[in-house]
Amino acid sequence: MATAAAQRTARPQADGAAAREPADYQRVFDAAVAADERIEPRDWMPDAYRATLVRQIAQHAHSEIIGMQPEANWITRAPSLRRKAILMAKVQDEAGHGLYLYSAAETLGTGRDELLDKLHSGRQKYSSIFNYPTLTWADVGAIGWLVDGAAITNQVPLCRCSYGPYARAMVRICKEESFHQRQGYELLLALSKGTPEQHAMAQDAVDRWWWPSLMMFGPPDDESQHSAQSMAWKIKRHSNDELRQRFVDICVPQAESLGLTLPDPDLTWNEERGHYDFGPIDWSEFWDVLKGNGPCNEQRLTQRKRAHDEGAWVREAAAAYAAKHTGGAEAAAHETTGAERA
Ligand SMILES: [Fe+2]
Ligand SMILES: [Fe+2]
């Protein structure tokens, strides 16, 4: 039986190294996806598959770096050194997630400059959840528990995504997201068991973040434009509604342990389905925030562009250093060769 590696070397590659007839390309790609193999950067892939991945990975990368803002807002006001250290580590992790993901997009031939330009000019989106403000310290806990929790539910199946570099980036990201989720849960637990004011602050944060977290899974399956094709390509493994239900089922008992309530009077265990039923989601709010009318859309993008402009000198210095370093190595190699000739 041929090993996966042997099959991969036989697969037509984008540079035509093992190319046969054009129809072979699609057939071999389809067979690799069907066999649950990973598609790698040099493999041939349909243009639409590449475009879908670039769009999804870019939106994911943008969400990681824009998502740093609402929480970074609380670093200077964290209530203790311990909380400050945890929050700083978490926000730095999100920057790292952005880097892994921009690198994954680069393997598809789309540079970071181009993607950042599209983010800054509003041509590419980031997750709408980050257009809500962080009003109190408890929001840091609610984001960790609910927003990072929803992200994990979405992202664990992406570790098996058909595109290799994206799948591998997700493995590390998911490990770090689970730390984020736990720190949020632990923070909310401390507040919930604290003074009545602290408990009320935790409850208020959960009340505000619950519904936007459910919207993170995207529109209902019958309205989701890209879902069916992404599932056929094994980029996605589960539908939006399936993942949303999984998240609700995880959160209900956790909310009980936290001593907090979820703001949905329709939330009840459905014995027949073996899942929790939940109330209707206000999709008009989702579309409105997506269109740019959320409470913080403008602030997030302005801040991002300012950070990018202010970081220009760092990028220039790094590029100059790299050029000098590479130039120096080349010159040294040249000298050696010259010496050998002499
Ligand atoms: Fe992240
Ligand atoms: Fe996170």
CSV table of all heavy atoms in Angstrom, one decimal, residues 237-266:
chain,number,residue,atom,x,y,z
A,237,ARG,N,-15.7,21.4,9.1
A,237,ARG,CA,-16.1,20.0,9.4
A,237,ARG,C,-17.5,19.9,9.9
A,237,ARG,O,-18.1,18.9,10.0
A,237,ARG,CB,-15.1,19.3,10.4
A,237,ARG,CG,-13.7,19.2,9.9
A,237,ARG,CD,-13.5,18.0,9.0
A,237,ARG,NE,-12.2,17.9,8.4
A,237,ARG,CZ,-11.7,16.8,7.9
A,237,ARG,NH1,-12.5,15.7,7.9
A,237,ARG,NH2,-10.5,16.7,7.5
A,238,HIS,N,-18.0,21.0,10.5
A,238,HIS,CA,-19.3,21.1,11.1
A,238,HIS,C,-20.0,22.3,10.7
A,238,HIS,O,-19.4,23.4,10.4
A,238,HIS,CB,-19.2,21.0,12.6
A,238,HIS,CG,-18.4,19.9,13.1
A,238,HIS,ND1,-18.9,18.6,13.2
A,238,HIS,CD2,-17.1,19.8,13.5
A,238,HIS,CE1,-17.9,17.8,13.7
A,238,HIS,NE2,-16.9,18.5,13.9
A,239,SER,N,-21.3,22.3,10.6
A,239,SER,CA,-22.1,23.5,10.2
A,239,SER,C,-22.1,24.6,11.4
A,239,SER,O,-21.9,24.2,12.5
A,239,SER,CB,-23.5,23.1,9.8
A,239,SER,OG,-24.3,22.9,11.0
A,240,ASN,N,-22.5,25.8,11.0
A,240,ASN,CA,-22.6,26.9,12.0
A,240,ASN,C,-23.5,26.5,13.1
A,240,ASN,O,-23.2,26.7,14.3
A,240,ASN,CB,-23.1,28.2,11.3
A,240,ASN,CG,-22.1,28.7,10.3
A,240,ASN,OD1,-21.0,28.2,10.2
A,240,ASN,ND2,-22.5,29.7,9.6
A,241,ASP,N,-24.7,26.0,12.8
A,241,ASP,CA,-25.7,25.7,13.8
A,241,ASP,C,-25.3,24.5,14.7
A,241,ASP,O,-25.6,24.5,15.9
A,241,ASP,CB,-27.1,25.3,13.1
A,241,ASP,CG,-27.7,26.6,12.5
A,241,ASP,OD1,-27.5,27.7,13.1
A,241,ASP,OD2,-28.5,26.5,11.6
A,242,GLU,N,-24.6,23.6,14.1
A,242,GLU,CA,-24.1,22.4,14.9
A,242,GLU,C,-23.1,22.9,15.9
A,242,GLU,O,-23.2,22.5,17.1
A,242,GLU,CB,-23.4,21.5,13.9
A,242,GLU,CG,-23.6,20.0,14.0
A,242,GLU,CD,-22.8,19.3,13.0
A,242,GLU,OE1,-22.8,19.7,11.8
A,242,GLU,OE2,-22.1,18.3,13.3
A,243,LEU,N,-22.2,23.8,15.5
A,243,LEU,CA,-21.2,24.3,16.5
A,243,LEU,C,-21.8,25.2,17.5
A,243,LEU,O,-21.4,25.1,18.7
A,243,LEU,CB,-20.1,25.0,15.7
A,243,LEU,CG,-19.2,24.1,14.8
A,243,LEU,CD1,-18.3,25.0,13.9
A,243,LEU,CD2,-18.3,23.2,15.6
A,244,ARG,N,-22.8,26.0,17.1
A,244,ARG,CA,-23.4,26.9,18.1
A,244,ARG,C,-24.1,26.0,19.1
A,244,ARG,O,-24.1,26.3,20.3
A,244,ARG,CB,-24.5,27.7,17.3
A,244,ARG,CG,-25.0,28.8,18.1
A,244,ARG,CD,-25.9,29.9,17.4
A,244,ARG,NE,-26.2,29.6,16.0
A,244,ARG,CZ,-25.6,30.2,15.0
A,244,ARG,NH1,-24.8,31.2,15.2
A,244,ARG,NH2,-25.9,29.9,13.7
A,245,GLN,N,-24.8,24.9,18.7
A,245,GLN,CA,-25.5,24.1,19.7
A,245,GLN,C,-24.5,23.4,20.6
A,245,GLN,O,-24.7,23.4,21.8
A,245,GLN,CB,-26.2,23.0,18.9
A,245,GLN,CG,-27.0,22.0,19.8
A,245,GLN,CD,-28.2,22.6,20.5
A,245,GLN,OE1,-29.1,23.0,19.8
A,245,GLN,NE2,-28.2,22.7,21.8
A,246,ARG,N,-23.3,23.0,20.1
A,246,ARG,CA,-22.3,22.4,20.9
A,246,ARG,C,-21.8,23.4,22.0
A,246,ARG,O,-21.7,23.0,23.2
A,246,ARG,CB,-21.1,22.0,20.0
A,246,ARG,CG,-20.0,21.2,20.7
A,246,ARG,CD,-18.9,20.8,19.8
A,246,ARG,NE,-19.4,19.9,18.8
A,246,ARG,CZ,-18.6,19.4,17.8
A,246,ARG,NH1,-17.3,19.7,17.7
A,246,ARG,NH2,-19.1,18.5,17.0
A,247,PHE,N,-21.7,24.7,21.6
A,247,PHE,CA,-21.2,25.7,22.5
A,247,PHE,C,-22.3,25.9,23.6
A,247,PHE,O,-21.9,26.0,24.8
A,247,PHE,CB,-20.9,27.0,21.7
A,247,PHE,CG,-20.5,28.2,22.5
A,247,PHE,CD1,-19.3,28.2,23.2
A,247,PHE,CD2,-21.4,29.3,22.6
A,247,PHE,CE1,-18.9,29.3,23.9
A,247,PHE,CE2,-21.0,30.4,23.4
A,247,PHE,CZ,-19.8,30.4,24.0
A,248,VAL,N,-23.5,26.0,23.2
A,248,VAL,CA,-24.6,26.2,24.2
A,248,VAL,C,-24.6,25.1,25.2
A,248,VAL,O,-24.6,25.3,26.5
A,248,VAL,CB,-26.0,26.4,23.5
A,248,VAL,CG1,-27.1,26.3,24.6
A,248,VAL,CG2,-26.1,27.6,22.7
A,249,ASP,N,-24.5,23.9,24.7
A,249,ASP,CA,-24.5,22.7,25.6
A,249,ASP,C,-23.3,22.7,26.6
A,249,ASP,O,-23.4,22.2,27.7
A,249,ASP,CB,-24.5,21.4,24.8
A,249,ASP,CG,-25.8,21.2,24.0
A,249,ASP,OD1,-26.8,21.9,24.3
A,249,ASP,OD2,-25.8,20.3,23.1
A,250,ILE,N,-22.2,23.2,26.2
A,250,ILE,CA,-21.0,23.3,27.1
A,250,ILE,C,-21.2,24.4,28.1
A,250,ILE,O,-20.9,24.2,29.3
A,250,ILE,CB,-19.7,23.6,26.2
A,250,ILE,CG1,-19.4,22.4,25.4
A,250,ILE,CG2,-18.6,24.0,27.1
A,250,ILE,CD1,-18.3,22.7,24.3
A,251,CYS,N,-21.8,25.5,27.7
A,251,CYS,CA,-21.8,26.7,28.6
A,251,CYS,C,-22.9,26.6,29.7
A,251,CYS,O,-22.6,27.1,30.8
A,251,CYS,CB,-22.1,28.0,27.8
A,251,CYS,SG,-20.7,28.5,26.8
A,252,VAL,N,-24.0,25.9,29.4
A,252,VAL,CA,-25.1,25.9,30.4
A,252,VAL,C,-24.6,25.4,31.8
A,252,VAL,O,-24.7,26.0,32.8
A,252,VAL,CB,-26.3,25.2,29.9
A,252,VAL,CG1,-27.4,25.1,31.0
A,252,VAL,CG2,-26.9,26.0,28.7
A,253,PRO,N,-24.0,24.1,31.8
A,253,PRO,CA,-23.5,23.7,33.1
A,253,PRO,C,-22.4,24.5,33.7
A,253,PRO,O,-22.3,24.6,34.9
A,253,PRO,CB,-23.0,22.2,32.8
A,253,PRO,CG,-23.0,22.1,31.3
A,253,PRO,CD,-23.8,23.1,30.7
A,254,GLN,N,-21.6,25.1,32.8
A,254,GLN,CA,-20.5,25.9,33.3
A,254,GLN,C,-21.0,27.2,34.0
A,254,GLN,O,-20.5,27.6,35.0
A,254,GLN,CB,-19.5,26.3,32.2
A,254,GLN,CG,-18.7,25.1,31.7
A,254,GLN,CD,-17.7,25.5,30.6
A,254,GLN,OE1,-17.7,26.6,30.1
A,254,GLN,NE2,-16.8,24.6,30.3
A,255,ALA,N,-22.1,27.8,33.4
A,255,ALA,CA,-22.7,28.9,34.0
A,255,ALA,C,-23.3,28.6,35.4
A,255,ALA,O,-23.2,29.4,36.4
A,255,ALA,CB,-23.9,29.4,33.1
A,256,GLU,N,-23.8,27.4,35.5
A,256,GLU,CA,-24.4,26.9,36.8
A,256,GLU,C,-23.2,26.8,37.8
A,256,GLU,O,-23.4,27.3,39.0
A,256,GLU,CB,-25.0,25.5,36.7
A,256,GLU,CG,-26.5,25.7,36.1
A,256,GLU,CD,-27.0,24.3,35.7
A,256,GLU,OE1,-26.5,23.3,36.1
A,256,GLU,OE2,-28.0,24.4,34.9
A,257,SER,N,-22.1,26.3,37.5
A,257,SER,CA,-21.0,26.2,38.4
A,257,SER,C,-20.5,27.6,38.8
A,257,SER,O,-20.0,27.8,39.9
A,257,SER,CB,-19.8,25.4,37.8
A,257,SER,OG,-20.2,24.3,37.1
A,258,LEU,N,-20.6,28.5,37.8
A,258,LEU,CA,-20.1,29.9,38.1
A,258,LEU,C,-21.1,30.6,39.0
A,258,LEU,O,-20.8,31.6,39.6
A,258,LEU,CB,-20.0,30.7,36.8
A,258,LEU,CG,-18.8,30.4,35.9
A,258,LEU,CD1,-18.9,31.1,34.6
A,258,LEU,CD2,-17.5,31.0,36.6
A,259,GLY,N,-22.3,30.1,39.2
A,259,GLY,CA,-23.3,30.8,39.9
A,259,GLY,C,-23.9,32.0,39.2
A,259,GLY,O,-24.3,33.0,39.8
A,260,LEU,N,-23.8,31.9,37.8
A,260,LEU,CA,-24.3,33.0,37.0
A,260,LEU,C,-25.4,32.5,36.1
A,260,LEU,O,-25.4,31.3,35.8
A,260,LEU,CB,-23.2,33.6,36.2
A,260,LEU,CG,-22.0,34.2,37.0
A,260,LEU,CD1,-20.8,34.6,36.1
A,260,LEU,CD2,-22.5,35.5,37.7
A,261,THR,N,-26.3,33.4,35.6
A,261,THR,CA,-27.3,32.9,34.7
A,261,THR,C,-27.1,33.4,33.3
A,261,THR,O,-26.5,34.5,33.1
A,261,THR,CB,-28.7,33.4,35.2
A,261,THR,OG1,-28.7,34.8,35.3
A,261,THR,CG2,-29.2,32.8,36.5
A,262,LEU,N,-27.5,32.6,32.3
A,262,LEU,CA,-27.4,33.1,30.9
A,262,LEU,C,-28.7,33.8,30.6
A,262,LEU,O,-29.8,33.4,31.0
A,262,LEU,CB,-27.1,31.9,30.0
A,262,LEU,CG,-25.8,31.1,30.3
A,262,LEU,CD1,-25.7,29.8,29.6
A,262,LEU,CD2,-24.6,32.0,30.0
A,263,PRO,N,-28.5,34.9,29.9
A,263,PRO,CA,-29.7,35.8,29.7
A,263,PRO,C,-30.7,35.3,28.6
A,263,PRO,O,-30.9,36.0,27.6
A,263,PRO,CB,-29.1,37.1,29.3
A,263,PRO,CG,-27.8,36.7,28.6
A,263,PRO,CD,-27.3,35.5,29.2
A,264,ASP,N,-31.2,34.1,28.8
A,264,ASP,CA,-32.1,33.6,27.8
A,264,ASP,C,-33.2,32.8,28.5
A,264,ASP,O,-32.9,31.6,29.0
A,264,ASP,CB,-31.3,32.7,26.8
A,264,ASP,CG,-32.2,32.0,25.8
A,264,ASP,OD1,-33.5,32.3,25.8
A,264,ASP,OD2,-31.7,31.3,24.9
A,265,PRO,N,-34.4,33.3,28.6
A,265,PRO,CA,-35.5,32.6,29.3
A,265,PRO,C,-35.9,31.3,28.6
A,265,PRO,O,-36.5,30.4,29.3
A,265,PRO,CB,-36.7,33.6,29.3
A,265,PRO,CG,-36.4,34.6,28.3
A,265,PRO,CD,-34.9,34.6,28.1
A,266,ASP,N,-35.6,31.1,27.4
A,266,ASP,CA,-36.0,29.9,26.6
A,266,ASP,C,-35.0,28.8,26.8
A,266,ASP,O,-35.2,27.7,26.1
A,266,ASP,CB,-36.1,30.3,25.1
A,266,ASP,CG,-37.2,31.2,24.9
A,266,ASP,OD1,-38.2,31.3,25.7
A,266,ASP,OD2,-37.2,32.0,23.9
